[in-house]
Amino acid sequence: KCGQYRLYNKDTCCKQFEKRYKNAFQTLQVPDAVMKIVNKAFDLDHGLVLIFIGKKAVNSSMKIQDAIGFRMKKENVLTEVQLESVSLIDGAILLTEEGTCCKYGMILNSKENGNGESSRGSRYNTTRNYIINCKKYGIRAMAIIISEDKMVNIISTATV
């Protein structure tokens, strides 16, 4: 895919996610709730985008909150059943670094940063731009992008 050989392996991807999560949020441990969400995401039959941002940034008035999406009626840690349901709606899912769902069905119309990668789709490019904008505003964030063909990308403010 895109001139690269890639093999999908859930365990390898989860280990990469853990490593990058710890780096992005400068923590020693990934919350169990977050790992349950990520593990469930790999088991779904469709692609999705999960964006994790610092808890303090969720309640701020930063531009990052301007993305269009549906708010959860009651913000709780996203359960596996809820993930299955909300991931069927087009758009990204925004969660705190602890796994609390803030928005779903997010349209990531963030300002363009660079030319993007023409060989990649909009799911990847808009998510990448969103993470770049988080970094610009000093918000710690990371995203895991799982395409329908099970290609996985993990992007964080620590790596863009």
Side-chain angles (χ1 to χ4, degrees), residues 93-150:
I93 302 168
L94 180 70
L95 305 116
T96 67
E97 63 193 276
E98 298 165 346
T100 300
C101 185
C102 304
K103 284 186 177 180
Y104 60 95
M106 284 180 54
I107 308 299
L108 302 176
N109 37 336
S110 57
K111 293 179 184 174
E112 184 180 345
N113 287 303
N115 297 324
E117 293 183 35
S118 60
S119 63
R120 304 302 309 271
S122 62
R123 184 180 282 155
Y124 173 84
N125 283 306
T126 57
T127 303
R128 181 180 166 275
N129 288 343
Y130 190 84
I131 297 298
I132 289 170
N133 282 326
C134 285
K135 185 174 185 171
K136 182 175 130 183
Y137 289 111
I139 297 170
R140 291 184 183 167
M142 73 175 299
I144 184 164
I145 305 152
I146 304 174
S147 34
E148 295 198 20
D149 64 0
K150 296 300 180 190

Side-chain angles (χ1 to χ4, degrees), residues 9-144:
N9 180 301
K10 180 180 173 180
D11 292 335
T12 302
C13 290
C14 284
K15 285 178 187 172
Q16 272 299 314
F17 175 84
E18 282 186 73
K19 181 180 172 184
R20 293 198 184 173
Y21 181 97
K22 289 175 185 177
N23 187 29
F25 293 107
Q26 297 180 347
T27 184
L28 299 174
Q29 183 102 14
V30 180
D32 289 338
V34 169
M35 286 312 300
K36 281 183 183 176
I37 292 166
V38 171
N39 273 301
K40 180 63 178 178
F42 283 111
D43 294 336
L44 299 174
D45 292 333
H46 52 274
L48 76 154
V49 174
L50 297 174
I51 299 174
F52 296 90
I53 65 171
K55 188 177 180 181
K56 291 177 185 174
V58 172
N59 298 321
S60 74
S61 60
M62 295 281 201
K63 291 277 185 194
I64 224 64
Q65 287 291 87
D66 289 346
I68 299 166
F70 303 102
R71 287 199 173 276
M72 296 295 276
K73 287 184 180 178
K74 186 176 180 188
E75 293 181 0
N76 287 323
V77 171
L78 193 66
T79 67
E80 292 179 16
V81 173
Q82 288 172 324
L83 175 62
E84 243 179 289
S85 297
V86 298
S87 67
L88 291 170
I89 299 168
D90 280 344
I93 302 168
L94 180 70
L95 305 116
T96 67
E97 63 193 276
E98 298 165 346
T100 300
C101 185
C102 304
K103 284 186 177 180
Y104 60 95
M106 284 180 54
I107 308 299
L108 302 176
N109 37 336
S110 57
K111 293 179 184 174
E112 184 180 345
N113 287 303
N115 297 324
E117 293 183 35
S118 60
S119 63
R120 304 302 309 271
S122 62
R123 184 180 282 155
Y124 173 84
N125 283 306
T126 57
T127 303
R128 181 180 166 275
N129 288 343
Y130 190 84
I131 297 298
I132 289 170
N133 282 326
C134 285
K135 185 174 185 171
K136 182 175 130 183
Y137 289 111
I139 297 170
R140 291 184 183 167
M142 73 175 299
I144 184 164

